[in-house]
Amino acid sequence: MTPPPVLLDCDPGIDDALALIYLAGLHTRGDIRLVGVTTTAGNTTTRRTAVNAAWVLARCGITDVPVAAGRAEPLKAPLVTTPETHGEHGMGYVTPTVDQDVDTHWETLWDKVCAEHGESLQLIVTGPCTNLAAWLGEGSQTTAAFDSVTIMGGAVLYQGNTTPTAEWNFWVDPDAAKDVFAQASPELPVTLAPLNVTEQMLLDPLGLETLIAALGGTPIAADLPEILRFYFEFHEATGAGYQAQIHDLLTCMIALGTVAHRTTETTVDVEADSELTRGTSLADHRGHWQRPANAHLVTEADIPAAWAEFHAAARTLAQAAASR
Ligand code: BDR
Ligand code: CA
């Protein structure tokens, strides 16, 4: 069977980095084909997120996946980044550098992988929806260009992590998030992994030790303590304890169906105009809006199984590193 092609649009970012390690493991095992990685501005600038993505892949032994920096700014809002959450350069206490070219035009990459992989392509977005909304906004493209579109974002009818009601990715570019759901439909739904579920995927120092052991001699294993130390400290400072929420990793597993989860069909919309409720996401479970469903909203996921799945992918990377 041909492995499903995957395009990741991300903003590494520490939990994005763990998502990349997971996808690197699946790519190495031949379970998926990671055909491209593009980045958005959010956790840090778009060029920095691209350098970080290429660096994480290289530290996992992968240098043949094209990485391209995406749009530098949200659609309308001025860019805000979050060094307090992910570190000055988006990778905790580590400052990645790479030789790999990350300046290829991202839209050219999207057009190319869509043309090559047609409707079997799985798009996973773990940063702001800026690139996806811009690409859809050009007119000729729809979410039907992909077999599936899965997004990490929103705190749906739930407390936010950026404002009382908004999650970070949707808050950074609320117009993009709104546009994506305006274009989604029952025929072209988007799977949304919201904060409600992803914040349950928690890594603590003991879990990190287990992960590092599973990665064996994979170079990224040596970097993880200083990357995660920053993220643990951030979560502790916000009252969440000395541990970290690994949103984007869980989102990739949901996208690829590698972890058991539940969804509900609903209509999702995002507030883009009000400053007070900017980026707030809503789901119309009772049909008040009388609008068609546009989303598979994730409501539950098997977190212990997700960790087991991640460790198996990490062990694949360890075996590959040992044989190099
Ligand atoms: C999301 O915001 C970012 O900081 C994380 O990488 C994740 O994608 C969680 O709100
Ligand atoms: Ca992210």
Side-chain angles (χ1 to χ4, degrees), residues 10-17 42-43 82 85-86 125-128 152-154 161-162 166-170 172 194-195 198 231 234 245-249 251:
C10 58
D11 65 337
I14 295 171
D15 55 328
D16 302 77
N43 289 333
T82 183
T85 309
H86 295 273
V125 179
T126 62
M152 189 283 130
N161 60 0
T162 304
E167 177 278 335
W168 171 256
N169 288 341
F170 280 14
V172 169
L195 189 70
T198 62
Y231 212 28
F234 161 74
Q245 299 166 352
I246 313 295
H247 314 276
D248 298 340
L249 170 62
T251 301

Side-chain angles (χ1 to χ4, degrees), residues 118-119 136 141-147 149 187-188:
E119 291 173 15
L136 295 173
Q141 297 293 355
T142 69
T143 50
F146 305 100
D147 179 51
V149 176
E187 296 75 37
L188 309 170

Side-chain angles (χ1 to χ4, degrees), residues 32 58 88 96 146 193 201 205 209 212 220 228 247 271 280 322-323:
I32 63 163
E88 190 186 348
F146 305 100
M201 182 106 185
E209 271 181 37
I212 289 170
I220 195 74
L228 267 300
H247 314 276
E271 174 60 54
T280 299
S323 63

Side-chain angles (χ1 to χ4, degrees), residues 89-101:
H89 303 291
M91 221 32 56
Y93 291 111
V94 173
T95 305
T97 54
V98 278
D99 296 332
Q100 188 174 338
D101 172 26

Side-chain angles (χ1 to χ4, degrees), residues 100-111:
Q100 188 174 338
D101 172 26
V102 296
D103 292 321
T104 314
H105 199 246
W106 70 274
E107 282 174 300
T108 310
L109 178 59
W110 278 41
D111 289 343

